Amino acid sequence: MRGLSGKIAGLAPSATIEIADAAKRMAQEGFDVISLSIGEPDFDTPAHIRDACIDALRRGETHYAPSAGIPALRAAIAEKITRENGFAAGEEEVIVTCGAKNAISEAMEAALNPRDEVVLLDPCWVSYEPAVQIAGGRVRHHPVDPETFQIDDSLLEAITPDTRMIVVNSPSNPSGAVLDERSYRLVADICQDHDLIALSDEIYEKLVYGREHLSLAAFSDMAERTITVNGFSKAYAMTGWRLGYAVAPVRIIRQMNKVQQHTVSHPTTFAMWGGVAALKGDQACVEAMRLEFERRRDYVVEALHGMGYETAPADGAFYAFVKVEGDDLETGRRWLREAHVAVTPGSAFSAPGWLRISYATSLENLREAIRRIAAV
Ligand code: PMP
Ligand code: GLU
């Protein structure tokens, strides 16, 4: 029998999802596992958003919708971007996708030709590299400054004649770092000097602590060449809805929409009505969740420092990124085996020697996890 796709066989599975699944399996087998592995808010989707989706179902919003998303949601996203993110967007510059993950893969499919290079700034989230590889491109890894987790001039060294795109992600998964204005300016200058596209993954924009979130597309003329990716999973605790979006120049959105038409058609019609309620409704729920994440961040980071661990800045998202001695994969396995605490090894994010702790769980769970980690 002939072999299957070499391109797909060569991909690493998603470490974030595999470890979370392993923790769930252990829990089903009767182990008292605390999972600090997956990046998923533990809150329920706010009631007014769920109600809007149920109303849509009752109204019969159960048919195919326009492929780039229902006009009400595209308009709400364009308004939100123009109001909050420092650059103007119209409906035509928006595509609603099945999660931010789907927006990222469509962006890669739309932007890359075979052999085009995409620069990823390490540590970086697990799914960027596979998205590039599936689209037929190649990845060039470049580290951020390991002291500050900011971008410095050395980024220029990663640019080759084949470079087509740079991916930035602030607040960062896995480091929790928030990029400063200088980092963004460096990326903007390099993109403009070398005629590159930028993909700015801003899915954690609402989860910043004592810092300000900036959008790459707000920097001089960057809206012309930036694909801003965002979604509902983190800010509104809507992971299972599979709802995200991209904002980009119409010439890029048109190409992404063709990929969408030929693959998923569009996100689930009634789920998109939940998205409208999320963006148009009261934003107090977002702030309430942010405050709770901040309390947990304060506890976890202080507890880790108290145990002698060094952490990355932890200014955003809901991850503490912790430096460990020796092999992170082995330490992660030991924490799971001996403490029944699941975390994600930094190696999954191209950062060996680190562990990612997701603090998107109750303070009670976090206290118990810290107690167990201290014990091993
Ligand atoms: N980008 C980053 C950095 C993430 O952590 C996630 C988490 N899943 C995503 C994109 C995708 O989010 P979703 O597909 O759930 O919208
Ligand atoms: N982004 C989250 C994480 O990093 C969810 C899982 C995933 O989609 O990778 O854990």
Side-chain angles (χ1 to χ4, degrees), residues 14 16-17 37-39 101 125-127 173 204 234 319 356:
S14 167
T16 47
I17 292 178
S37 57
I38 196 126
K101 202 176 260 185
W125 180 50
V126 294
S127 289
N173 177 4
Y204 294 100
K234 318 292 172 172
Y319 305 111
R356 189 193 76 173

Side-chain angles (χ1 to χ4, degrees), residues 246-260:
V247 181
V250 173
R251 69 177 203 285
I252 298 177
I253 295 294
R254 276 204 200 108
Q255 303 307 311
M256 290 174 68
N257 195 30
K258 281 194 269 174
V259 180
Q260 181 136 299

Side-chain angles (χ1 to χ4, degrees), residues 33-113:
V33 177
I34 301 178
S35 181
L36 310 182
S37 57
I38 196 126
E40 168 163 40
D42 54 323
F43 305 108
D44 287 334
T45 304
H48 68 280
I49 301 174
R50 284 183 277 155
D51 287 344
C53 175
I54 293 165
D55 287 349
L57 264 172
R58 292 222 163 92
R59 269 200 319 274
E61 298 283 358
T62 57
H63 300 271
Y64 286 136
S67 61
I70 54 172
L73 185 51
R74 291 178 84 191
I77 292 165
E79 276 165 30
K80 178 255 178 234
I81 289 284
T82 307
R83 188 175 62 240
E84 295 183 358
N85 295 84
F87 64 103
E91 266 175 65
E92 295 303 307
E93 287 152 324
V94 174
I95 184 166
V96 190
T97 56
C98 301
K101 202 176 260 185
N102 182 216
I104 292 163
S105 55
E106 287 180 1
M108 299 303 177
E109 297 279 4
L112 301 180
N113 280 302

Side-chain angles (χ1 to χ4, degrees), residues 165-167 187 191 196-200 216 222 225-228:
M165 185 192 283
I166 301 178
V167 176
V187 174
C191 286
L196 309 179
I197 293 177
L199 188 151
S200 182
L216 182 62
M222 280 304 285
R225 53 176 74 249
T226 302
I227 305 170
T228 303

Side-chain angles (χ1 to χ4, degrees), residues 122-124 149 174 321 328 345-355:
D122 294 339
C124 70
F149 285 80
F321 205 47
D328 54 300
S347 295
F349 307 102
S350 312
W354 295 80
L355 290 178

Side-chain angles (χ1 to χ4, degrees), residues 180-222:
D180 60 19
E181 197 175 325
R182 181 169 181 274
S183 293
Y184 276 121
R185 281 203 192 286
L186 275 167
V187 174
D189 287 348
I190 291 176
C191 286
Q192 277 154 358
D193 292 349
H194 297 265
D195 190 19
L196 309 179
I197 293 177
L199 188 151
S200 182
D201 180 349
E202 303 184 11
I203 190 144
Y204 294 100
E205 71 167 340
K206 296 292 178 189
L207 302 177
V208 287
Y209 317 111
R211 295 285 304 265
E212 189 195 0
H213 169 73
L214 300 172
S215 288
L216 182 62
F219 285 76
S220 55
D221 297 334
M222 280 304 285

Side-chain angles (χ1 to χ4, degrees), residues 337-360:
R337 206 173 49 234
E338 296 174 20
H340 296 161
V341 174
V343 298
T344 312
S347 295
F349 307 102
S350 312
W354 295 80
L355 290 178
R356 189 193 76 173
I357 295 182
S358 164
Y359 54 82

